[in-house]
Amino acid sequence: MRIYIHNLFIKVGRRLNIRQIALASGEIYLTRFLTRVSLKEVNIYLLVTTCLYVACKIEECPQHIRLILSEARSIWPEYIPSDISKLAEFEFYLIEEMDSYLILHHPYKSLIQIRDYLDLNYGKFGIKLTQETMQNSWSLINDSYITDIHLLLPPHIIAVSAIYITIVLKKNLLQLKNLNENGQNNNTKDEMNIDDLMSLNGIQKNNKKKSNNNNENGNDDFELDILDEDTIKINKFMNFLEHSHINLDEIVEAVQDMMNVYLVWNRYNEQTVKKQLQAMLLNKI
Amino acid sequence: MINQIPNNQIPNIPQPALMASNSILTLGPFKHRKDLTRESVLSTYQIMGYIAAGTYGKVYKAKLKNNNKLEGEDILDDDEENILPQFYAIKKFKSDNHHGSNKSHHSHDSNGNEIIHYTGISQSAIREMSLCRELNNKNITKLIDIILENKSIYMIFEFCEHDLLQIIHYHSHPDIKNIPITTIKSLTWQILNGVTFLHKNWIFHRDLKPANIMVTSQGVVKIGDLGLARKFNNPLQSLYTGDKVVVTIWYRAPELLLGTRHYTPSIDLWAVGCILAELLSIRPIFKGEEAKIDINNKKAVPFQKNQFQKIIEILGTPNSKIWPNITKYPEYPSFQQQLTNQIYPANLVNWYKMIGGENKQCLNLLQGLLTYDPDLRLTADQALLHQFFLESPKVNENAFEGLSIKYPNRKIYTDDNDIMTNQLINSNFKRAGGNNFDESIRKKRA
């Protein structure tokens, strides 16, 4: 269901060319709203539209209420009424339900801050985040809005987790590629991603153990690995984390949640969710 | 979240209509539930009358109703900070009629009252709501609550008895002396303290002027009206795209007059400079006339020649020596063509003498704030540490301490106590607020 809603946001967002930050804020508003109100009590399509409308205003890239409503109506004509006062009414209830707390901080900014910090302190940590790492981490953050972690954990934790997954994944991807080449296996890239994320679970636990008992164990785990470029990078990043006083338990939690999304995504069937929503919405009238 | 059910097991889905009618479920049972439990404005507060009105809506003075539950909490709060204020200012936003369909054809109920419709919340209302919610500083008006009720927004603030406009107005009476320098010092320091807080939180105010600086009866400055304020830490589009014109004309910084697209918090410091000058001389220092927007070309922002003229008459004609980037501004050609026929020398020192100023450090602070180049202008935290504030007499938390004058309390207009009605703002409200009010008073004084 959360994946379905996430995709609803993306649909409207693409139509109106809405910035990622506003999209993210909108999703948070929706998640917060649904912690207090049952999905069965409201029209989810109008809720998505309203969240985006408010988010655009807060992020200072306002869209006209008529435009946003007409775009939403063209995507879901069967669910979106043409009367703008319905959207405006919903806006009131949405803001009230959130007690007017509307300003949000997103991991995107933390991500950039971490990159800049690492660039600045290259001498100390010896690690830079490449354009590719940044892009992949950014995408991971985009997907993480399906989960609840944004309500539970501060943005920098999520940013760090995204970087962590990215660089560990890259290493595993390379290993997998080697395996696949041997076995003449032509997996598509997507499937590889998911397989990889699953296998990551194990590795990541080891790493955490390592970092938690760092003083005693040193880099034992990794000395056994082949010290390729990516492993060194992971090590350096772990070193940075230890210096940063970031809560590692929270990172473990975030990484788990962020990866679970992909497991669920694998089984996701859009049509089923759509039908269920339809049954729920239209039985009410 | 939902168990997966094969498609063929839900046979009775109603098929959606091709186009949704307006009666489709929107908020349904949730709305009903909320409406039943909401505490209304009127059940909590007793409206005493309105104190100001403007384009945004109306501000009412109110007190808590006696029978309110909050009384119990009052006793528990012995922490001084938390004692509930006696009076409240309730700002009610006028519903934005640009979006509604109700402007062209008013609909009325059976009693002839206008039926109000929900309209989208304006950008300025939503900015003020979102920012005030997060901000908590001694020198910023404190938000108590926001109530969204009956299609209107009510923001409840602590009540402030005075504002700088009213204080300046009081002193403009010929029999009353100017504001003592110690009071000015304390007021200015507190304004700067509030501005520093805003800037540290990546917010600029963009509409600082005497009417927006409140003072409580205990002499504490409270910066108000954050309707134009916004965060500037990571703008998604240029600031100019968002709002073409910011800051009331007399307090608008020179870089804004030159049409800058990317301005900085230093625009607020220019305004503080103008306010300081106005406190000293009891009249606006740069009282220019606003060039009106061309009716035939509403999108073009006119060059504010007259305002710039007033500035250079006192501060001298700027050049690229004192302001290296001046040539890069979009309106520089207009400035070059229209305002360089006569070159004025810098004259602030004489202006200061003429108004009877004696304190050298105060003049120095004023020069620092009214610096042309925004990069060289004092920042808020630099200004806080200016020598003027460090030398005796010391800055006082109560700006009125030692002051023999008792400023009159705010006027309350009781002819419209009905906060719940939704009249359109009509012309007779102008007497009590907004720019028109400022101008009419000043015209009388002149």
Side-chain angles (χ1 to χ4, degrees), chain A residues 269-279, chain B residues 3-13 15:
Chain A
N269 178 346
E270 180 174 289
Q271 281 311 312
T272 319
V273 182
K274 193 175 175 182
K275 286 246 165 64
Q276 284 166 339
L277 275 174
Q278 186 179 321
Chain B
N3 296 328
Q4 300 215 344
I5 307 167
N7 290 347
N8 55 11
Q9 285 184 14
I10 26 175
N12 291 326
I13 321 171
Q15 282 310 303

Coordinates of all heavy atoms in Angstrom, one line a residue, chain A residues 269-279, chain B residues 3-13 15:
Chain A
N269 N 2.1 -5.9 -6.1 CA 1.2 -5.9 -7.3 C 0.3 -4.7 -7.3 O -0.6 -4.6 -6.5 CB 0.4 -7.2 -7.2 CG -0.6 -7.4 -8.4 OD1 -0.8 -6.4 -9.1 ND2 -1.1 -8.6 -8.6
E270 N 0.5 -3.8 -8.2 CA -0.2 -2.6 -8.2 C -1.7 -2.7 -8.4 O -2.5 -2.1 -7.7 CB 0.3 -1.7 -9.3 CG -0.4 -0.3 -9.3 CD 0.3 0.6 -10.3 OE1 1.4 1.1 -10.0 OE2 -0.3 0.9 -11.4
Q271 N -2.1 -3.7 -9.3 CA -3.5 -3.8 -9.6 C -4.3 -4.2 -8.3 O -5.4 -3.7 -8.1 CB -3.7 -4.8 -10.7 CG -3.4 -4.3 -12.1 CD -4.2 -2.9 -12.3 OE1 -5.4 -2.8 -12.0 NE2 -3.5 -1.9 -12.8
T272 N -3.7 -5.1 -7.5 CA -4.5 -5.6 -6.3 C -4.8 -4.4 -5.4 O -5.9 -4.2 -4.9 CB -3.6 -6.6 -5.6 OG1 -3.0 -7.4 -6.5 CG2 -4.4 -7.4 -4.6
V273 N -3.7 -3.6 -5.1 CA -3.9 -2.5 -4.2 C -5.0 -1.5 -4.8 O -5.8 -1.0 -4.1 CB -2.6 -1.7 -4.0 CG1 -2.8 -0.6 -3.0 CG2 -1.5 -2.7 -3.5
K274 N -4.9 -1.3 -6.1 CA -5.8 -0.3 -6.7 C -7.2 -0.8 -6.6 O -8.1 0.0 -6.2 CB -5.4 -0.2 -8.2 CG -6.0 1.0 -8.9 CD -5.5 1.1 -10.3 CE -6.3 2.2 -11.0 NZ -5.9 2.3 -12.4
K275 N -7.4 -2.1 -6.8 CA -8.8 -2.6 -6.7 C -9.3 -2.5 -5.3 O -10.5 -2.2 -5.0 CB -8.8 -4.1 -7.1 CG -8.6 -4.3 -8.6 CD -9.9 -4.9 -9.2 CE -9.9 -4.7 -10.7 NZ -8.8 -5.5 -11.4
Q276 N -8.4 -2.8 -4.3 CA -8.9 -2.7 -2.9 C -9.3 -1.3 -2.5 O -10.3 -1.1 -1.9 CB -7.8 -3.2 -2.0 CG -7.7 -4.7 -2.0 CD -6.4 -5.2 -1.4 OE1 -5.4 -4.4 -1.3 NE2 -6.4 -6.4 -1.0
L277 N -8.5 -0.3 -3.0 CA -8.8 1.1 -2.7 C -10.1 1.5 -3.3 O -10.9 2.2 -2.8 CB -7.7 2.0 -3.2 CG -6.5 2.2 -2.3 CD1 -5.4 3.0 -3.0 CD2 -6.9 2.9 -1.1
Q278 N -10.3 1.0 -4.5 CA -11.5 1.3 -5.3 C -12.7 0.8 -4.5 O -13.7 1.5 -4.4 CB -11.4 0.6 -6.7 CG -12.5 1.0 -7.6 CD -12.3 0.3 -8.9 OE1 -11.1 0.2 -9.4 NE2 -13.3 -0.2 -9.6
A279 N -12.6 -0.4 -4.1 CA -13.7 -1.0 -3.3 C -14.0 -0.2 -2.1 O -15.1 0.1 -1.7 CB -13.4 -2.4 -2.9
Chain B
N3 N -3.6 -7.7 3.1 CA -3.3 -9.0 2.6 C -3.7 -9.1 1.1 O -4.6 -8.5 0.6 CB -4.2 -10.0 3.3 CG -3.8 -10.0 4.8 OD1 -2.7 -9.8 5.2 ND2 -4.8 -10.2 5.7
Q4 N -2.9 -9.9 0.5 CA -3.2 -10.0 -1.0 C -4.4 -10.9 -1.2 O -4.4 -12.0 -0.7 CB -1.9 -10.6 -1.6 CG -0.7 -9.7 -1.4 CD 0.2 -9.6 -2.6 OE1 0.1 -10.5 -3.4 NE2 1.1 -8.7 -2.6
I5 N -5.3 -10.4 -1.9 CA -6.5 -11.2 -2.3 C -6.5 -11.3 -3.8 O -6.4 -10.3 -4.5 CB -7.8 -10.4 -1.8 CG1 -7.7 -10.0 -0.3 CG2 -9.0 -11.3 -2.1 CD1 -8.7 -9.1 0.1
P6 N -6.6 -12.5 -4.2 CA -6.7 -12.7 -5.7 C -7.9 -11.9 -6.2 O -8.9 -11.7 -5.6 CB -7.0 -14.2 -5.9 CG -6.5 -14.8 -4.6 CD -6.7 -13.8 -3.5
N7 N -7.8 -11.4 -7.4 CA -8.8 -10.5 -8.0 C -10.2 -11.1 -8.0 O -11.1 -10.4 -7.8 CB -8.4 -10.1 -9.5 CG -7.2 -9.2 -9.5 OD1 -6.8 -8.7 -8.4 ND2 -6.6 -9.1 -10.6
N8 N -10.3 -12.4 -8.3 CA -11.6 -12.9 -8.5 C -12.4 -13.1 -7.2 O -13.5 -13.5 -7.2 CB -11.5 -14.3 -9.2 CG -10.6 -15.2 -8.5 OD1 -10.1 -15.0 -7.4 ND2 -10.2 -16.3 -9.2
Q9 N -11.7 -12.8 -6.0 CA -12.4 -12.9 -4.8 C -13.1 -11.7 -4.3 O -13.8 -11.6 -3.3 CB -11.5 -13.4 -3.7 CG -11.1 -14.9 -3.8 CD -10.3 -15.4 -2.7 OE1 -10.1 -14.7 -1.7 NE2 -9.7 -16.5 -2.8
I10 N -13.0 -10.6 -5.1 CA -13.7 -9.4 -4.7 C -14.6 -9.1 -5.9 O -14.3 -8.2 -6.7 CB -12.8 -8.2 -4.4 CG1 -11.4 -8.3 -5.1 CG2 -12.7 -8.0 -2.9 CD1 -10.5 -7.2 -4.9
P11 N -15.7 -9.8 -6.0 CA -16.5 -9.6 -7.2 C -17.4 -8.3 -7.2 O -17.8 -7.9 -8.2 CB -17.5 -10.8 -7.1 CG -17.5 -11.2 -5.7 CD -16.3 -10.7 -5.0
N12 N -17.7 -7.8 -6.0 CA -18.6 -6.7 -6.0 C -18.1 -5.3 -5.9 O -18.5 -4.5 -5.2 CB -19.6 -6.9 -4.8 CG -20.5 -8.1 -5.1 OD1 -20.8 -8.4 -6.2 ND2 -20.8 -8.8 -4.0
I13 N -17.0 -5.1 -6.6 CA -16.5 -3.7 -6.6 C -17.4 -2.8 -7.4 O -17.6 -3.2 -8.6 CB -15.1 -3.6 -7.2 CG1 -14.2 -4.8 -6.8 CG2 -14.5 -2.3 -6.9 CD1 -12.9 -4.8 -7.6
Q15 N -18.1 -0.2 -10.0 CA -17.2 0.4 -11.0 C -17.2 1.9 -10.8 O -18.2 2.5 -10.6 CB -17.7 0.0 -12.4 CG -17.3 -1.4 -12.8 CD -15.8 -1.7 -12.5 OE1 -15.0 -1.0 -13.1 NE2 -15.5 -2.7 -11.7

